Amino acid sequence: MQHIKISPGKALAEQAEIGHNRWHPDIPELTSVKPGEEIILECLDFLDAQIKDNDSANDVRDVDLTRAHPLTGPVHVEGAEPGDILVVDLLDINYVTPIGFSGVFAKNNGGSFLVDHFPEADKAIWNLKGKYATSRHIPGVRIGAMLHPGLIGTLPSHELLREWNRREDVLVKKGQANPPHKDTAVLRGVSGADFDRMASEAARTVPPREHGGNLDIKNLTVGTRIYFPVYVKGAGLSLGDLHFSQGDGEISFCGAIEMDGAAHLGFDLIKGGMAKYGITSPIYVPGRHDVRYDQWLTFTGISVENDVNHYLDATVAYKQACLATIDYITRVTELNASQAYMLLTAAPVEGRYGGVVDLPNASASLALPTGIFDTNILPQGALNEAAHYGRPGVRCTLS
């Protein structure tokens, strides 16, 4: 079985030609597999080895985001043709080095979902040991493993890439999407005039698209089967941005517990599957080897912000649920607001939209697993608390 390795601590441009950090159909294959074969792909952390194990957030503050998402691949799958479905099994995922990180990007460099409330950069370093993560920067918390790829996808066709650029160019001009940034593009095995052409038209990896990409779905854990549309011959699967754990929404953007990791993958094909099943973007069956918590404290939000009623705005509602959770954590623990914010992006919180039809207010909720805390965080003083909730501070189990 093939095993593609990285050199931890070195940027993608310094690696032994392991991959790319842009999407383009002409990127040469890294390796090839047949349906039924397996491969192990090691991946750098999503910020390309820029974040260091120290107590300063300056590296997050000053990070070069145009280098984000060094990907390992593309993997050519023999027999794959446009219109097929590529079946990928996530057989195993683990960390390569026992250190991870999460953080908050500064308002003038990336920002975050709650940027108006948290404009300054911050950082948490996580120690990864077995199936748990702890951090000296967020004490009193232990998070169980929910290992998954933040980013995994197939190569776009030329036609699809042109469509991405057409529709996103409108947003680039408004500052709402990312231009190619040719100067920091890494395209393994491409040079000269071909590099100049491809780097100027290749798509950045930050947003998810029809091919998959940066989906940031925490439930793509070990045991997951993903069905990808195939847009080019060989499919061209790449992945990166591996996470030890993540909350729904990855709300701080420098989110999850980011890590250098290795993914063990299996492959199969469904010929003509796109037309047969009407699939033009990935679908998946989630794995069962993730963390299991048996008690949650859920916070709600509605689409009202700063005394303004936003019409059925589910994003505003989710913001309010997040802010309510952060405020509560600061009241029942010794964590400050920034630490609580980083916790929500790293722990496997469950985000849900409630009603999106009850005008004028949309509703959303955020469920916090109480078992990640060393102490009981439930509101105290309720009658028969033990009878209703069992043992306070119960921990999680891993399947």
Side-chain angles (χ1 to χ4, degrees), residues 168-322:
E168 292 176 21
D169 184 59
V170 177
L171 301 178
V172 169
K173 293 173 181 176
K174 297 178 181 179
Q176 297 173 341
N178 296 299
H181 280 290
K182 172 184 171 182
D183 291 346
T184 52
V186 178
L187 304 170
R188 185 201 63 83
V190 182
S191 60
D194 284 340
F195 179 89
D196 291 339
R197 171 184 61 83
M198 291 168 60
S200 65
E201 61 191 23
R204 293 280 299 283
T205 58
V206 171
R209 301 182 180 91
E210 293 90 336
H211 69 141
N214 195 26
L215 295 168
D216 284 322
I217 298 173
K218 75 177 192 300
N219 301 97
L220 298 182
T221 53
V222 175
T224 294
R225 171 167 287 183
I226 314 175
Y227 302 86
F228 289 99
V230 174
Y231 291 103
V232 300
K233 183 176 181 180
L237 184 92
S238 296
L239 84 159
D241 187 25
L242 298 185
H243 298 163
F244 186 89
S245 175
Q246 180 204 301
D248 282 341
E250 199 183 20
I251 60 174
S252 82
F253 185 14
C254 185
I257 297 178
E258 310 287 349
M259 66 180 194
D260 294 332
H264 181 183
L265 308 178
F267 299 89
D268 205 350
L269 285 174
I270 300 175
K271 302 300 294 181
M274 288 180 67
K276 182 177 181 180
Y277 296 105
I279 292 176
T280 56
S281 58
I283 62 175
Y284 69 96
V285 179
R288 298 182 178 179
H289 300 277
D290 53 357
V291 66
R292 301 286 194 230
Y293 292 100
D294 63 359
Q295 185 184 79
W296 303 77
L297 187 58
T298 301
F299 299 81
T300 61
I302 59 173
S303 53
V304 176
E305 185 176 36
N306 297 326
D307 297 324
V308 176
N309 215 132
H310 297 266
Y311 179 70
L312 296 181
D313 192 326
T315 299
V316 171
Y318 193 51
K319 279 186 178 181
Q320 301 313 304
C322 292

Side-chain angles (χ1 to χ4, degrees), residues 49-384:
Q50 295 182 77
I51 307 305
K52 306 304 180 185
D53 180 8
N54 57 40
D55 299 327
S56 171
N58 289 349
D59 48 6
V60 174
R61 180 195 65 192
D62 302 330
V63 71
D64 183 354
L65 287 171
T66 69
R67 288 168 51 185
H69 297 138
L71 305 181
T72 302
V75 176
H76 179 98
V77 181
E78 294 185 21
E81 298 285 344
D84 294 343
I85 290 175
L86 176 66
V87 183
V88 178
D89 287 314
L90 304 183
L91 302 175
D92 198 11
I93 302 172
N94 216 329
Y95 48 85
V96 170
T97 53
I99 297 293
F101 67 88
S102 56
V104 180
F105 287 132
K107 185 173 184 176
N108 62 356
N109 187 21
S112 68
F113 185 57
L114 302 178
V115 65
D116 292 334
H117 300 270
F118 298 92
E120 303 297 328
D122 206 350
K123 180 175 79 175
I125 296 296
W126 295 87
N127 293 97
L128 314 179
K129 187 174 182 179
K131 295 299 184 182
Y132 291 96
T134 57
S135 173
R136 64 185 183 270
H137 298 121
I138 308 179
V141 169
R142 185 173 70 150
I143 295 176
M146 202 162 182
L147 297 147
H148 62 279
L151 194 158
I152 182 169
T154 54
L155 290 179
S157 64
H158 284 279
E159 179 182 29
L160 185 57
L161 177 61
R162 285 193 295 270
E163 173 61 14
W164 290 352
N165 287 332
R166 181 199 64 77
R167 70 192 188 204
E168 292 176 21
D169 184 59
V170 177
L171 301 178
V172 169
K173 293 173 181 176
K174 297 178 181 179
Q176 297 173 341
N178 296 299
H181 280 290
K182 172 184 171 182
D183 291 346
T184 52
V186 178
L187 304 170
R188 185 201 63 83
V190 182
S191 60
D194 284 340
F195 179 89
D196 291 339
R197 171 184 61 83
M198 291 168 60
S200 65
E201 61 191 23
R204 293 280 299 283
T205 58
V206 171
R209 301 182 180 91
E210 293 90 336
H211 69 141
N214 195 26
L215 295 168
D216 284 322
I217 298 173
K218 75 177 192 300
N219 301 97
L220 298 182
T221 53
V222 175
T224 294
R225 171 167 287 183
I226 314 175
Y227 302 86
F228 289 99
V230 174
Y231 291 103
V232 300
K233 183 176 181 180
L237 184 92
S238 296
L239 84 159
D241 187 25
L242 298 185
H243 298 163
F244 186 89
S245 175
Q246 180 204 301
D248 282 341
E250 199 183 20
I251 60 174
S252 82
F253 185 14
C254 185
I257 297 178
E258 310 287 349
M259 66 180 194
D260 294 332
H264 181 183
L265 308 178
F267 299 89
D268 205 350
L269 285 174
I270 300 175
K271 302 300 294 181
M274 288 180 67
K276 182 177 181 180
Y277 296 105
I279 292 176
T280 56
S281 58
I283 62 175
Y284 69 96
V285 179
R288 298 182 178 179
H289 300 277
D290 53 357
V291 66
R292 301 286 194 230
Y293 292 100
D294 63 359
Q295 185 184 79
W296 303 77
L297 187 58
T298 301
F299 299 81
T300 61
I302 59 173
S303 53
V304 176
E305 185 176 36
N306 297 326
D307 297 324
V308 176
N309 215 132
H310 297 266
Y311 179 70
L312 296 181
D313 192 326
T315 299
V316 171
Y318 193 51
K319 279 186 178 181
Q320 301 313 304
C322 292
L323 290 169
T325 310
I326 291 168
D327 178 71
Y328 184 87
I329 291 172
T330 65
R331 293 172 184 270
V332 298
T333 73
E334 295 183 357
L335 300 178
N336 63 36
S338 185
Q339 290 171 311
Y341 185 24
M342 289 189 291
L343 181 59
L344 294 195
T345 200
V349 301
E350 297 280 350
R352 295 285 186 270
Y353 287 150
V356 291
V357 295
D358 299 317
L359 58 90
N361 290 338
S363 68
S365 64
L366 187 146
L368 179 67
T370 61
I372 67 175
F373 295 94
D374 290 345
T375 58
N376 178 16
I377 68 162
L378 295 179
Q380 300 300 301
L383 294 175
N384 300 319

